[in-house]
Amino acid sequence: MVKLRYQLAKGSSWSTQNEYIEEHIKRHGRRFDHFERKRKREARAAHKSSSFAQKAFGIKAKLLHAKRHAEKVQLKKTLKAHDERNVKQADSSTVPDGALPTYLLDREGQKDAKALSSAIKQKRKDKAAKYAVPLPQVRGIAEDEMFKVLKTGKSKSKSWKRMVTKATFVGEGFTRKPVKMERFVRPMALRYKKANVTHPDLKATFQLQILGVKKNPQSPMYTQLGVMTKGTVIEVNVSELGMVTTGGKVVFGKYAQVTNNPENDGCINAVLRLQLYEYYET
């Protein structure tokens, strides 16, 4: 009590009792994983509310459903407002009265203050098409399925080696590391150099040489190892197809996506991407 009077007499700021959490944050900061825990808590909130809604009954259920209904209505209104923002609408208030010049007769008043131009819309559509792939979703593959444990040495405890059980590409002039230093073993029987690539416009299939593995959606480690599973984007040599750019240069490589399970079929089937060559570069 004496300390409180002394502080008030000095005129210094004295935080109220219910602000102790904010005071602690100011002095000591937050936990290192605060934002990660917050993100997970928000992600679980939907499941928690759904579980409560299924168990609630009586007046609590009525109040909850009325509240949820109001939230959904508001959300639909917000989404509709966002959609209408990008659409040009006729506005009679902007049309002037009286005679108009000839070059303005075919125009009408528009609410285009927040409207996007058609050129920007088209550019966005082209960009979306550029990153569209034949297989947008693929099944996840666990490491237990991807790798087989290899025991090394006379000791039973040494099992740090792994054998890749899927189709791989190693490139030209590949040389294996010494046996004692090799961490991942890629069997010769599962290495592929060519792929059966289908041209979507010509409806024809060509056997083309694989230049490299560009992107494996499963994991960056699988991309680095050159593992080819369903959905993997590979680069193939299309120079023999005679494709040329707008500038007249011959296209050497294009990207294609694997559409089958190579480890089961014994071959690689892929669909050619006809969009820009810079696919997956950005």
Side-chain angles (χ1 to χ4, degrees):
M1 192 67 183
V2 176
K3 185 177 180 182
L4 175 60
R5 286 175 181 170
Y6 175 71
Q7 291 281 352
L8 293 175
K10 287 179 66 177
S12 61
S13 61
W14 185 267
S15 61
T16 56
Q17 185 179 1
N18 60 349
E19 293 178 356
Y20 61 92
I21 295 179
E22 290 81 357
E23 189 69 25
H24 186 275
I25 292 172
K26 289 178 183 177
R27 290 180 179 178
H28 308 288
R30 299 181 184 273
R31 291 172 52 130
F32 290 127
D33 59 345
H34 166 74
F35 294 102
E36 182 67 16
R37 285 160 60 91
K38 183 180 178 182
R39 182 189 64 80
K40 290 184 178 180
R41 195 182 306 115
E42 290 174 354
R44 287 192 296 264
H47 299 280
K48 190 175 180 180
S49 62
S50 174
S51 176
F52 180 75
Q54 292 176 22
K55 295 177 183 177
F57 61 93
I59 188 65
K60 283 189 176 182
K62 288 184 178 180
L63 294 173
L64 177 68
H65 294 326
K67 179 184 175 183
R68 183 68 183 133
H69 177 71
E71 290 177 356
K72 286 185 177 180
V73 170
Q74 186 61 37
L75 181 64
K76 286 184 178 180
K77 287 183 179 179
T78 307
L79 292 174
K80 187 178 180 182
H82 278 285
D83 292 339
E84 290 178 352
R85 182 185 62 180
N86 298 332
V87 178
K88 293 185 179 181
Q89 298 176 344
D91 187 9
S92 58
S93 62
T94 59
V95 178
D97 296 331
L100 285 175
T102 309
Y103 62 88
L104 288 179
L105 288 176
D106 58 341
R107 300 185 187 180
E108 62 178 359
Q110 292 180 343
K111 295 178 182 177
D112 55 354
K114 293 184 179 179
L116 295 173
S117 67
S118 58
I120 297 176
K121 288 181 182 178
Q122 189 61 36
K123 190 177 290 185
R124 286 185 179 177
K125 288 180 181 178
D126 293 344
K127 188 175 182 182
K130 172 184 172 183
Y131 291 99
V133 288
L135 300 176
Q137 293 182 346
V138 292
R139 181 183 67 90
I141 299 177
E143 288 194 3
D144 296 339
E145 184 182 350
M146 180 69 69
F147 300 116
K148 177 184 176 183
V149 179
L150 289 183
K151 303 253 183 208
T152 59
K154 296 180 181 178
S155 149
K156 293 183 179 179
S157 61
K158 289 185 179 180
S159 57
W160 54 273
K161 280 194 174 186
R162 297 290 182 270
M163 178 185 288
V164 182
T165 59
K166 306 292 181 183
T168 57
F169 173 77
V170 296
E172 292 292 333
F174 171 75
T175 305
R176 287 181 61 179
K177 290 182 180 179
V179 179
K180 291 188 176 181
M181 300 175 64
E182 193 173 27
R183 172 79 166 84
F184 297 100
V185 180
R186 287 168 283 190
M188 288 283 293
L190 288 174
R191 295 184 194 173
Y192 293 87
K193 293 183 179 180
K194 293 188 176 182
N196 303 320
V197 182
T198 301
H199 196 292
D201 288 348
L202 299 177
K203 306 296 183 184
T205 303
F206 308 92
Q207 192 174 58
L208 305 177
Q209 181 184 2
I210 300 174
L211 298 176
V213 176
K214 185 62 182 176
K215 181 82 172 180
N216 190 319
Q218 307 289 342
S219 168
M221 182 178 68
Y222 300 161
T223 305
Q224 189 177 4
L225 288 172
V227 179
M228 292 179 289
T229 55
K230 190 173 183 178
T232 303
V233 177
I234 59 176
E235 190 174 9
V236 293
N237 186 356
V238 294
S239 57
E240 61 184 45
L241 298 184
M243 301 175 109
V244 294
T245 62
T246 54
K249 296 182 179 179
V250 177
V251 178
F252 177 71
K254 267 194 172 292
Y255 297 134
Q257 190 180 30
V258 179
T259 56
N260 71 324
N261 295 311
E263 68 276 4
N264 296 339
D265 300 339
C267 64
I268 295 177
N269 300 331
V271 176
L272 197 66
R273 296 289 302 130
L274 296 181
Q275 266 66 28
L276 296 177
Y277 180 73
E278 295 81 15
Y279 179 71
Y280 268 113
E281 283 291 335
T282 55

